[in-house]
Amino acid sequence: MNETLQELLCAIQRTAGQVSDTAADAAYGVGKRAEALLSTAKLNIRAAELKAQVNEQLKSVGEMIYATHTGTPTDSDVLLGKLQEIDELNARLAELNELLGRQTEPAAPRCGSCGAPVREGDLFCRECGGKL
């Protein structure tokens, strides 16, 4: 009986070791997944911040253009600088979106003559009549 008890205790010890190893592996996996989620969340936050900066710069450019329209011309170098900042922000945003596996929306097709949006299948522009 003593030998049977010894075998039973050894089996319990082996099982406890296996359960412990499995639990450690699971905890490691959960930790890695949480780390990946946190990294993705940080990238999403940075993308949202960049998008907000782009919108702020676009607002500023719009105000400059409107000021020019109302008689207060904006220095073209200042306007060009703002537009270049927007280009840079958009490039950084595109990089983040690529890291996140997002596809950027393709630009809507436009008429080569007047810039009006065109529909799929159109052979001529509905605004200016130009051939597409």
Side-chain angles (χ1 to χ4, degrees):
M1 175 117 156
N2 196 8
E3 193 175 306
T4 306
L5 183 58
Q6 184 70 21
E7 288 175 15
L8 180 62
L9 289 175
C10 285
I12 291 172
Q13 185 178 15
R14 279 192 307 272
T15 303
Q18 291 171 346
V19 168
S20 172
D21 290 345
T22 302
D25 289 346
Y28 178 78
V30 167
K32 281 297 188 185
R33 181 70 180 139
E35 184 179 312
L37 287 172
L38 179 60
S39 177
T40 300
K42 286 180 180 179
L43 289 174
N44 280 323
I45 289 169
R46 184 66 189 131
E49 290 171 346
L50 283 172
K51 185 67 177 164
Q53 289 177 3
V54 167
N55 288 337
E56 191 62 34
Q57 294 297 335
L58 287 171
K59 178 182 173 188
S60 176
V61 166
E63 290 170 352
M64 288 178 181
I65 291 172
Y66 187 74
T68 300
H69 169 72
T70 59
T72 311
T74 301
D75 182 12
S76 61
D77 290 337
V78 173
L79 182 59
L80 180 61
K82 288 282 185 191
L83 294 173
Q84 289 171 339
E85 286 179 39
I86 293 170
D87 290 341
E88 183 181 317
L89 290 170
N90 278 329
R92 289 174 31 206
L93 185 58
E95 289 173 8
L96 279 178
N97 284 332
E98 187 175 325
L99 280 174
L100 289 165
R102 295 180 187 156
Q103 291 185 355
T104 55
E105 295 178 22
R110 298 204 170 264
C111 172
S113 298
C114 72
V118 296
R119 297 180 190 164
E120 188 176 329
D122 284 351
L123 299 177
F124 297 93
C125 177
R126 294 169 187 257
E127 292 296 318
C128 71
K131 186 173 181 182
L132 301 174

